[in-house]
Amino acid sequence: MASVEHSPLTRKLSAFVALSEAELTVLERLHQRRRSFVAGRDMVHQGQTARAAYILSAGWVCSYKLQPDGTRQIVDFQVPGDFLGLRSVLLHTSDHSFEPIVDIEAAEVLTSDLLEAFAQTPRLATAILWAASRDEAMVVEHLVGIGRRDADARMAHFLLELGSRLALVGMGSKDGFECPLTQYHLADTLGLSAVHVNRTLRQLREHGLVTFRDGHVTFHDYVGLAELAEFDPAYLDQTGPLLK
Amino acid sequence: MASVEHSPLTRKLSAFVALSEAELTVLERLHQRRRSFVAGRDMVHQGQTARAAYILSAGWVCSYKLQPDGTRQIVDFQVPGDFLGLRSVLLHTSDHSFEPIVDIEAAEVLTSDLLEAFAQTPRLATAILWAASRDEAMVVEHLVGIGRRDADARMAHFLLELGSRLALVGMGSKDGFECPLTQYHLADTLGLSAVHVNRTLRQLREHGLVTFRDGHVTFHDYVGLAELAEFDPAYLDQTGPLLK
DNA sequence: CGGCCATTTGACACCTGTCAATGTCTGTGG
DNA sequence: CCACAGACATTGACAGGTGTCAAATGGCCG
């Protein structure tokens, strides 16, 4: 048991590499500039130049792209412990919007803070870049899901992946997790209509696999669900570069 | 007119930033280790640890993920001037496979070469990272396309994007381009069946928009096609970070 | 010439989208 | 306390886009 309260990011990275005292200190110091954002109002708008990155410490955010015809596609979610706009700030571009799904708490990270931290603790830099690479792998897996899975498998896979991510920061388990998303969020994420999302959720529920209701996801049959989704957590679990 | 024969990568980067003599030299020196690969045999296999990155100088490659049920989803294509496995080598992971579509020529780039080049010419580093970020933006746009566009718009958008990429290295124009892909490649890219790809291509052809035949793509009505696809090349054209 | 691969086409089934209506819950204001 | 509006969830009927199956065509190469 740690006697200190660690940030979700610290928790996440610690699951994959043992961080030294010095590294922990640098990591916590990145959380100095605390910010709050209210649900529903975009933090960063498509096309806008990013000024800073954020480390999400509480609440959920989604990043999405709007189409000319008004439909939107959610590309990814950020949950506590995730970086937000990391690439944007390193490369001065932002090609999609960020919207807080609930009221959130985040730490603002300036480019200079980040570069300084990287210079001081190369292992920490590696760990953070690894986390970023993991996020990209999830976007790719998301693409595969939309392209090659039917609605049921898509939904199942998404919920399982989300569960795994949350479990890393102690916010979920194989039993389920709290989830503030609406069925419209799911629709925009999975490339389905809201109506069909509802049908799909009913099916999964009636098959005794998973329940999505009242802001809570409950896994009734984790193994069965993973089978349906052909969920292979390999792309999430790789301890990869850190141990090399 | 340049008196020297420049590599496609040089050509691509030069379109966005004026490189100095020194930078050009470093860039060309990255092309020392020449390699050939034959069509159809994977260069890197899913799960395999990447040993080097490549700069593609001739031919086409696709990166894809295989599903347990045998279907595959193509995530991206690499055409001359593109990096291949850049992220993999920086982070020692490879989460998808690379397959040459035709016989290809590529320059092998070791991590050490790259880091050395970056140290010598920071502006070049920025340019290369910018190109990498552009590739990621294309993956995101691809995801949006599969999630929120119907078959016609998806196909149109894909062909237009490919045309833009090729134009950058002098291999295409608003009139069309050479294209070694089969309709099966298109199907695995767009999340469609090969049969439906054929139907879609026929429709676009009969509407006088574009022809895909005998390894050649011909744009008959570029503007009309862009309208159908709601093609907004903003995410490709941003001169962004380089001029800051 | 005889396979083999890519393309093309038609018929049919089914997954998913659209439209429309209803139900539930919450917060607001009278 | 009740009436009402608004957001989200739920359901049914129907239409349409896309997948699947099957077969025919044509080009290429051994």
Side-chain angles (χ1 to χ4, degrees), chain B residues 149-156 190 192 196 200 204:
Chain B
R149 282 192 266 264
D150 65 19
D152 291 345
R154 229 181 284 178
M155 179 68 74
L190 302 176
L192 298 169
H196 200 62
T200 302
L204 294 179

Side-chain angles (χ1 to χ4, degrees), chain A residues 35-54:
Chain A
R35 299 280 182 269
S36 299
F37 296 90
V38 299
R41 181 176 309 162
D42 278 9
M43 303 172 61
V44 180
H45 217 73
Q46 208 161 317
Q48 182 178 334
T49 300
R51 325 194 47 245
Y54 297 90

Side-chain angles (χ1 to χ4, degrees), chain A residues 140-221:
Chain A
V140 169
E141 191 63 32
H142 188 180
L143 189 156
V144 174
I146 295 185
R148 287 300 179 209
R149 282 191 266 264
D150 65 18
D152 291 344
R154 228 181 284 179
M155 179 69 74
H157 195 279
F158 174 72
L159 294 177
L160 288 166
E161 180 187 286
L162 210 43
S164 293
R165 295 175 68 171
L166 290 165
L168 251 194
V169 288
M171 297 176 64
S173 71
K174 282 194 163 57
D175 295 329
F177 54 90
E178 298 298 319
C179 175
L181 304 181
T182 69
Q183 296 187 4
Y184 290 88
H185 285 123
L186 295 179
D188 286 342
T189 304
L190 302 175
L192 299 169
S193 67
V195 172
H196 201 62
V197 162
N198 189 281
R199 281 195 284 253
T200 304
L201 286 174
R202 175 168 31 145
Q203 273 204 298
L204 295 179
R205 185 180 349 116
E206 288 174 351
H207 286 356
L209 294 169
V210 63
T211 299
F212 178 100
R213 190 188 286 280
D214 295 330
H216 198 91
V217 173
T218 311
F219 296 128
H220 298 122
D221 178 2

Side-chain angles (χ1 to χ4, degrees), chain A residues 65 67 87 136 141 144, chain B residues 65 67 87 136 141 144:
Chain A
K65 276 194 93 158
Q67 299 279 118
R87 193 188 336 147
E136 278 170 34
E141 191 63 32
V144 174
Chain B
K65 277 195 90 157
Q67 299 278 120
R87 194 186 336 148
E136 278 170 34
E141 192 63 32
V144 174

Side-chain angles (χ1 to χ4, degrees), chain A residues 65 67-69 71-75 87 91-93 95-96 129-130 133 136-137 139-144 146-149 187-188 191-192 230 235 238 241 244, chain B residues 49 65 67-69 71-75 87 91-93 95-96 129-130 133 136-137 139-144 146-149 187-188 191-192 230 238 241 244:
Chain A
K65 276 194 93 158
Q67 299 279 118
D69 68 2
T71 61
R72 81 168 178 178
Q73 176 67 47
I74 294 179
V75 175
R87 193 188 336 147
L91 294 156
H92 299 281
T93 63
D95 56 346
H96 41 268
L129 287 178
W130 162 83
S133 145
E136 278 170 34
V139 173
V140 169
E141 191 63 32
H142 188 180
L143 189 156
V144 174
I146 295 185
R148 287 300 179 209
R149 282 191 266 264
D188 286 342
L192 299 169
E230 287 180 327
Y235 71 101
Q238 32 183 322
K244 296 250 167 68
Chain B
T49 300
K65 277 195 90 157
Q67 299 278 120
D69 68 1
T71 61
R72 82 166 175 178
Q73 175 67 47
I74 294 179
V75 176
R87 194 186 336 148
L91 293 155
H92 299 280
T93 63
D95 57 345
H96 41 265
L129 287 178
W130 163 81
S133 144
E136 278 170 34
V139 173
V140 168
E141 192 63 32
H142 189 179
L143 190 157
V144 174
I146 295 185
R148 287 299 181 209
R149 282 192 266 264
D188 285 343
L192 298 169
E230 288 181 326
Q238 33 183 323
K244 295 250 166 71

Side-chain angles (χ1 to χ4, degrees), chain A residues 30 33 108-118:
Chain A
L30 279 180
R33 265 179 278 274
E108 189 176 295
V109 182
L110 306 181
T111 316
S112 51
D113 297 345
L114 203 58
L115 294 179
E116 197 177 318
F118 279 15

